[in-house]
Each structure stands twice: as structure tokens, then as C-alpha cells.
Amino acid sequence: MQDLNEDTLTQAVLNAVSKAGDPRVRQISQALVRHLHAFIKEIEPTEEEWDQAIAFLTKTGQMCSDTRQEFILFSDVLGVSMLVDMINHRLPGDATETTVFGPFYVEPPVFALGDNIRGHLEGTPLRIEGRVLDDNGGPIRGATVDLWHSDKDGFYDLQLLDASPGLAGRGRLTTDADGAFHCWTARPAPYPIPNDGPVGKMLEAQGRHPFRPEHVHFMIAAPGFRTLVTHIFAADGDYLDSDVVFGVKNSLIEPYGVDPQSDALTLQRDFVLARC
């Protein structure tokens, strides 16, 4: 019989999970036990506090559905989603940095270069343009550029399908011989993540707001290169220093320009893809 106490319990659990036949399962299980036990020893929760923690996780699971994933929000607001992204996208040289994918991607409709992808969205006209380049600065012809963004009130088209005529503020372009792309749309806005569940209550208790700064999503793919998932953030936007999901990187912030012929805003950005 093991004589278990605060000093011996952790090792006993480690010994038990060390019997896992899969080395990766063994590694993950042992790390989980070590860090979870260290966390409990540091904070020394009361039994009531631990009951509250279990209730929080239970309510988080109960909030999940086909259209809502509260555990992803939980991962996002603790910076875990971004940490996983950073670990899995350690890119070389001048390759454009990645950030989180977000929950609002669907395969977008195809547009020709120069088309307007705004659909039924209202707001300030915005021209988006740029080039897709390799790590030597050469153009990548035929790269697929998917882009999507919120409307002027911070809602994505997928959130408004019951009240709107369909997809808007998203499109797929293909770069030309110079690796260039351009389109028209409407300026997006900052928006809050869903905060009516357990994660929202946690943010409130932590003294945090639920907002993401204004941004446009990009997913760029080309044969022989790693697919890039990233955002470009408006330099004059709010919440750049306090993005609730910690997705902002300095290299992904760009100022808007002004088109001299139309007074519309412009967003110019080149992207460098890493080779496979």
C-alpha cells in the first residue's frame, strides 16, 4: 500500500500514467499531472472554490453547440490559442507572421481582381491591394487569396444570415503575373467576442473587456508554400494593446491611406509566404 500525502501523491499519479503505451500520450499525461498539481499546490483552493471551478467547466461545455464553441473562447482569452499558433508557425526570415484563424471562415465566393466583395455591407469604401511574394521577393502568380471581415457594426455575414441576403465582406481572389491582387469592400469595425456565457463572466471578474480590434482576415495559399493564415489590423483602431485573444503583432498593423480619386480608404499590404 502507498502511504499517500501532499508530498507523495503527485509522483504516485505520474507513476500510474507512465504505463500508457503510446509515448505521446505518456508525455502529455505526465506533463498535465505535473503542471495541474503544481497549480493546485500554488493556489490552495478551498473545496468551495474547486466546486466553482468544476461548475465553470460544466457550464462551458453546456454552452457549446453547432454554432458556438465556448471552449475555443476559453482557449482564446487565456492566450492558449495564440501560443499554439506561434509554436506551430515558427516561420523563417521575412515570412509574414500568422495569427489565429477565427470562427467565421467559410469558403468564399470567387471574384475577379478589382471587384467589390462588400455585398450588402454598408460603410466607408475600402480598397484592399497587395502582392504575394516568395522569400526572395519574387512574385507568386496564381496564389489564392481568401479575405473576410466584419461589417461597420462588428458583425460577420455568418452572424446575420437570418436577416440578410447571404455572404458579404468575403471573397477569393487569384494573384496576377506580378503576384498582385486588389478588390473593393467596406471598412470593418472592432467587435466583442460572445460574452454572454461563462467566458464572459470570467473576463468581467478579471477586469477585462471582450473586444477584438478592427482587422481583415487573410488566408493565402500557393503550391510549394505553406498556407498563411493571418490578419491585418488598422493602425488607427482601438484595442490594439488589449486584444482579448492576444492576436495582434506589430508586423501586422497597417495604416489606412486615402485614394486621391475617390477619397475612399486604402489598405496596402504585401505578404511573404514560407516555402514548404
Side-chain angles (χ1 to χ4, degrees), residues 154-211:
F155 292 101
Y156 286 83
D157 51 0
L158 300 182
Q159 296 174 288
L160 303 171
L161 287 179
D162 291 341
S164 65
L167 299 180
R170 68 177 70 235
R172 173 171 292 175
L173 308 173
T174 301
T175 57
D176 63 17
D178 294 323
F181 66 91
H182 63 284
C183 67
W184 288 89
T185 188
R187 181 176 182 172
Y191 59 85
I193 65 168
N195 63 341
D196 57 339
V199 171
K201 289 184 173 59
M202 182 183 73
L203 290 174
E204 183 178 358
Q206 292 171 341
R208 297 168 60 192
H209 66 72
F211 281 89

Side-chain angles (χ1 to χ4, degrees), residues 216-238:
V216 178
H217 294 260
F218 290 85
M219 183 167 71
I220 304 176
F225 295 88
R226 295 182 61 171
T227 297
L228 171 67
V229 175
T230 195
H231 309 351
I232 298 301
F233 298 90
D236 64 345
D238 296 325

Side-chain angles (χ1 to χ4, degrees), residues 66-132:
D66 291 342
T67 58
R68 174 76 173 262
Q69 231 303 346
E70 193 77 1
F71 273 110
I72 290 180
L73 291 179
F74 190 26
S75 170
D76 289 346
V77 304
L78 293 181
V80 177
S81 298
M82 271 305 302
L83 185 57
V84 171
D85 180 85
M86 292 170 179
I87 289 169
N88 283 275
H89 298 94
R90 294 167 176 149
L91 301 177
D94 295 326
T96 301
E97 291 192 282
T98 63
T99 190
V100 289
F101 192 46
F104 296 116
Y105 176 81
V106 295
E107 185 171 320
V110 175
F111 289 89
L113 296 179
D115 280 353
N116 198 320
I117 70 169
R118 68 189 294 168
H120 57 78
L121 300 190
E122 299 178 353
T124 304
L126 173 64
R127 175 183 167 89
I128 300 176
E129 59 186 22
R131 300 176 73 205
V132 180

